Amino acid sequence: MVYVTRRATFSASHRLFNPALSDEENEKLYDKCANPRGHGHNYVLEVTVAGKQSERSGYVIDLKILKQILETEIIRKVDHKHLNEDVDFLKGVIPTTENLAREFWKILEPKIPVGTLCSIRLSETENNSVEYRGE
Ligand code: NI
């Protein structure tokens, strides 16, 4: 099995806020991440596909194809957007890094034409990242 990873970046704003909780509880839970007007991150998305290499091409998946899928399905929809307000597939989702990785998985998993989606790593800062590998 060979693992192939494509990296993509986007910038977006978000606010961590659970509407089921009071303002005070949200502030206690999320601290400054619950600030009413939100804040931004430069996200790094790394998507890994696992598979066997094609004998003909030597590829698991042509990275140009993976790049295009990430661009069309994710980056174009989230780059320079407010994740709480502007993104259809994130409606009703608290935009933690964990939840973003899971939502990206749901979209990407059926779109991968060869091999299988193995992991989605999403970094919110240099120090904080989440990896999701499916259920
Ligand atoms: Ni944040």
Side-chain angles (χ1 to χ4, degrees):
M1 195 66 80
V2 182
Y3 299 83
V4 174
T5 302
R6 174 71 195 181
R7 180 178 179 276
T9 60
F10 63 96
S11 301
S13 54
H14 74 166
R15 178 193 187 199
L16 299 185
F17 183 84
N18 183 338
L21 303 176
S22 69
D23 287 355
E24 292 72 31
E25 286 172 312
N26 271 292
E27 216 181 290
K28 206 178 279 176
L29 185 58
Y30 295 122
D31 194 36
K32 61 188 179 184
C33 295
N35 284 348
R37 294 185 190 280
H39 61 275
H41 294 287
N42 294 316
Y43 289 94
V44 179
L45 172 64
E46 288 166 287
V47 174
T48 300
V49 172
K52 304 280 184 212
Q53 287 169 266
S54 149
E55 270 184 37
R56 184 161 171 266
S57 67
Y59 289 158
V60 172
I61 181 172
D62 185 337
L63 279 165
K64 289 193 297 293
I65 293 170
L66 188 53
K67 174 191 176 183
Q68 196 55 53
I69 293 167
L70 297 189
E71 185 61 36
T72 309
E73 301 296 331
I74 306 290
I75 303 301
R76 205 178 284 171
K77 296 174 181 172
V78 296
D79 191 33
H80 287 73
K81 297 289 168 62
H82 195 303
L83 301 177
N84 302 67
E85 309 287 341
D86 303 332
V87 182
D88 286 344
F89 69 83
L90 295 175
K91 288 278 184 261
V93 174
I94 301 168
T96 60
T97 318
E98 289 89 333
N99 281 341
L100 296 175
R102 296 173 69 105
E103 296 304 318
F104 292 173
W105 179 285
K106 282 189 212 163
I107 292 170
L108 292 173
E109 203 266 333
K111 303 282 180 188
I112 302 299
V114 282
T116 53
L117 184 56
C118 172
S119 89
I120 290 187
R121 176 176 287 278
L122 184 64
S123 305
E124 202 182 60
T125 69
E126 267 183 33
N127 297 324
N128 298 338
S129 68
V130 161
E131 185 172 6
Y132 182 59
R133 296 180 179 174
E135 294 305 329

